[in-house]
Amino acid sequence: MAVSMSPKQKVYQGVLKEIRQFIDNNQLESGDKLPSERELSEKLQAGRSSIREALRALELLGLIETRHGEGTYLSTYRSLQTVELLSSFILQKSVTKGDLFSTKKMLEKEAAKQVFYDLDENDLDRLRSIIDNSELLPYDKHVMFFEYLFDKTKNLLLKKVWQLMERFSFTINKSYYKPSFYEELLQNYMTNQYGLIENLFNGVVLPYED
Amino acid sequence: MAVSMSPKQKVYQGVLKEIRQFIDNNQLESGDKLPSERELSEKLQAGRSSIREALRALELLGLIETRHGEGTYLSTYRSLQTVELLSSFILQKSVTKGDLFSTKKMLEKEAAKQVFYDLDENDLDRLRSIIDNSELLPYDKHVMFFEYLFDKTKNLLLKKVWQLMERFSFTINKSYYKPSFYEELLQNYMTNQYGLIENLFNGVVLPYED
DNA sequence: GTTCACAAGGTGGTCAGACCACTTAATCAT
DNA sequence: ATGATTAAGTGGTCTGACCACCTTGTGAAC
């Protein structure tokens, strides 16, 4: 095993790193083919079994896809089977309502702050129309309002994490902030008061629930 | 390979299921020990390499923990949230390095702020010993340092989300802040300067990488 | 009896080589 | 041309062999 590695790192972890680098260097994209196991084994000077351990891990993560007799490819679509299998590993131990709420709030606060300098007139109008729309339920307003903000952050991961928590907390209750909250936040945006955002969120102790 | 399995299922996937069942049947909990690889190999009538492929995958997911010379243990992680998050955003990458880094940084900042008023002398000593330990690599220091902070937040979900990102970013690169960062943060804690934490994190633009 | 050093056994880490199953492409016979 | 056959390449799996590491127990020295 010649995969350069820091002390006590396992070979398969080094292989993981090498593979990532290979993908980078060769600009591989979804659907592209990786070198064969034997080729990687020789090139990285590691046993084929170690190569396989790394590939298996990547496979379970859904990052690659292997086709018997063909080769290994960068994954293109998501495999449901994997997810199901993983889910079955789960034992109860659910997150507390408190953890969920405070973490979600934190994400919302952060999004609200991050977009502060990127909002223009148009954005503010949009946000206003959401909170003024009497057709919408408070909870729906909440979701739409923040969805808009998260989109503005341009951080897909951040939005994804928030959505997951939103979806999960949805199964518990539909929570949102008191109506004046959104109004004040918008006010802070319009009057350019960055510093007050933090305080606004910190003032929220308990959410409203449906 | 006698692991009962539907057509074309790979042995390691069957092994995965068997292991889950084993955990169920024996009521194993976090920290408990799994049978040895050789024992599983014999019991499930599968080659040790197949057993290992399954274990490696579980390890990368953070569901188990292996200790050289000792055995394999159920990890203390293990949670629905972890798996759900994993499967959803990892499978549909488009998550950029930048998103990952900034989201992770955000979580770390938030943890650093949340624990501000809960740290006592003992905590500060612990943190200091981590950053002063010359045996540790910068990346390991980073992980240990923030792991400590996340533990102090008492918010399991927050920690899990962070761990998840840490683990995922690990497959890309081992990133950490410049050494003086931790020093300054600790300094802010000692001199009771809550306000400076935000600035400290905002000052971080790019991480160091290994 | 207590303590310490060391040997033995168990466990994960890794490798090499052997087959098997499957896919693709080249080859050959029609 | 067309279709069947063959060969080569690839993943899938097993076996057996070492190595490195940890725990435990044994026995020697005190």
Side-chain angles (χ1 to χ4, degrees):
Chain A
M1 35 81 169
V3 180
S4 65
M5 53 196 216
S6 28
K8 276 200 54 176
Q9 165 152 302
K10 294 176 192 166
V11 172
Y12 91 90
Q13 292 175 322
V15 171
L16 237 30
K17 203 169 175 178
E18 294 288 338
I19 291 178
R20 169 186 63 76
Q21 203 153 7
F22 179 86
I23 293 174
D24 271 3
N25 295 342
N26 299 65
Q27 304 267 316
L28 296 192
E29 294 177 6
S30 291
D32 288 343
K33 195 168 178 296
L34 283 178
S36 75
E37 297 179 352
R38 290 171 179 80
E39 201 177 328
L40 284 172
S41 171
E42 190 179 350
K43 200 163 291 187
L44 305 185
Q45 287 287 295
R48 199 182 147 209
S49 51
S50 290
I51 300 292
R52 282 184 62 79
E53 289 187 9
L55 292 179
R56 253 8 82 218
L58 289 178
E59 185 177 61
L60 192 61
L61 284 175
L63 295 173
I64 63 171
E65 194 180 316
T66 56
R67 302 183 205 136
H68 195 172
E70 288 187 67
T72 304
Y73 301 81
L74 284 193
S75 176
T76 55
Y77 66 95
R78 43 203 300 172
S79 145
L80 282 183
Q81 193 185 2
T82 302
V83 180
E84 281 176 33
L85 184 60
L86 286 180
S87 303
S88 65
F89 266 94
I90 308 319
L91 316 174
Q92 32 62 52
K93 203 52 181 182
S94 50
V95 170
T96 69
K97 252 168 100 167
D99 283 0
L100 186 59
F101 176 63
S102 77
T103 305
K104 199 159 74 72
K105 187 179 82 168
M106 188 206 80
L107 295 175
E108 290 166 350
K109 180 188 72 181
E110 207 56 34
K113 288 167 66 177
Q114 278 188 27
V115 302
F116 187 80
Y117 297 108
D118 297 324
L119 296 175
D120 56 29
E121 281 302 319
N122 182 36
D123 292 322
L124 295 178
D125 285 347
R126 294 285 200 87
L127 291 173
R128 157 114 283 132
S129 74
I130 293 175
I131 63 180
D132 284 348
N133 188 338
S134 54
E135 309 263 309
L136 298 173
L137 295 174
Y139 172 74
D140 293 326
K141 285 185 183 179
H142 176 88
V143 173
M144 289 180 66
F145 189 90
F146 278 103
E147 198 146 50
Y148 193 86
L149 294 188
F150 277 101
D151 277 337
K152 286 292 284 186
T153 67
K154 302 285 190 232
N155 185 329
L156 270 180
L157 177 59
L158 188 60
K159 184 183 178 190
K160 194 74 195 173
V161 174
W162 173 73
Q163 283 181 325
L164 281 162
M165 287 190 198
E166 189 56 60
R167 196 180 318 157
F168 186 52
S169 81
F170 176 85
T171 67
I172 299 175
N173 59 51
K174 299 182 182 180
S175 66
Y176 49 92
Y177 302 130
K178 66 170 182 278
S180 66
F181 174 91
Y182 309 93
E183 197 65 53
E184 288 183 44
L185 178 53
L186 204 50
Q187 213 60 234
N188 288 342
Y189 282 147
M190 293 192 290
T191 56
N192 236 40
Q193 314 236 43
Y194 181 84
L196 296 183
I197 299 180
E198 183 91 25
N199 297 337
L200 181 57
F201 276 90
N202 288 339
V204 178
V205 181
L206 287 176
Y208 284 33
E209 299 181 6
D210 275 350
Chain B
M1 37 83 170
V3 180
S4 67
M5 52 194 218
S6 27
K8 279 198 49 172
Q9 164 154 294
K10 294 174 194 169
V11 172
Y12 92 90
Q13 292 176 321
V15 171
L16 241 27
K17 284 184 182 169
E18 293 288 341
I19 292 179
R20 173 184 60 74
Q21 203 152 8
F22 179 86
I23 293 174
D24 274 0
N25 296 342
N26 299 65
Q27 305 267 316
L28 295 192
E29 294 178 6
S30 294
D32 287 343
K33 194 167 179 298
L34 283 177
S36 75
E37 297 179 351
R38 290 171 178 80
E39 201 176 328
L40 284 172
S41 171
E42 190 179 351
K43 200 164 290 185
L44 305 185
Q45 287 287 294
R48 199 181 146 208
S49 50
S50 291
I51 301 292
R52 281 184 63 80
E53 288 186 9
L55 293 180
R56 248 13 77 219
L58 291 179
E59 182 177 61
L60 192 63
L61 285 175
L63 297 173
I64 61 171
E65 195 178 311
T66 57
R67 300 181 207 141
H68 196 172
E70 287 187 67
T72 303
Y73 300 80
L74 278 194
S75 164
T76 49
Y77 306 140
R78 241 188 340 137
S79 97
L80 174 60
Q81 284 64 43
T82 301
V83 175
E84 273 188 342
L85 285 170
L86 251 183
S87 35
S88 71
F89 63 71
I90 283 188
L91 293 181
Q92 69 122 56
K93 49 200 167 239
S94 67
V95 169
T96 69
K97 248 167 108 165
D99 283 1
L100 185 60
F101 175 63
S102 77
T103 306
K104 199 158 75 71
K105 186 178 84 168
M106 188 206 79
L107 295 175
E108 289 165 351
K109 180 187 73 182
E110 207 55 34
K113 288 166 67 177
Q114 278 188 28
V115 301
F116 187 81
Y117 297 108
D118 296 326
L119 296 176
D120 57 28
E121 280 302 318
N122 181 34
D123 292 324
L124 296 178
D125 284 346
R126 293 285 199 89
L127 292 173
R128 168 140 308 281
S129 73
I130 292 176
I131 62 181
D132 283 348
N133 187 339
S134 55
E135 308 264 310
L136 298 173
L137 296 174
Y139 171 73
D140 292 326
K141 284 185 184 179
H142 177 87
V143 173
M144 289 180 67
F145 189 91
F146 279 102
E147 197 147 50
Y148 193 85
L149 293 187
F150 278 99
D151 277 336
K152 285 294 285 186
T153 68
K154 302 282 190 235
N155 185 328
L156 262 183
L157 177 58
L158 188 62
K159 184 183 177 189
K160 285 181 195 304
V161 174
W162 174 73
Q163 284 180 325
L164 177 62
M165 290 190 194
E166 190 55 62
R167 205 185 317 289
F168 185 40
S169 83
F170 175 85
T171 67
I172 299 175
N173 59 51
K174 297 183 182 178
S175 66
Y176 48 92
Y177 303 131
K178 66 167 181 279
S180 66
F181 173 90
Y182 310 92
E183 198 65 50
E184 289 182 43
L185 178 54
L186 204 51
Q187 213 59 236
N188 289 342
Y189 282 147
M190 293 192 290
T191 56
N192 236 41
Q193 313 236 44
Y194 181 84
L196 296 184
I197 299 180
E198 184 92 23
N199 297 338
L200 182 56
F201 276 91
N202 288 339
V204 177
V205 181
L206 288 176
Y208 285 32
E209 299 181 4
D210 275 349

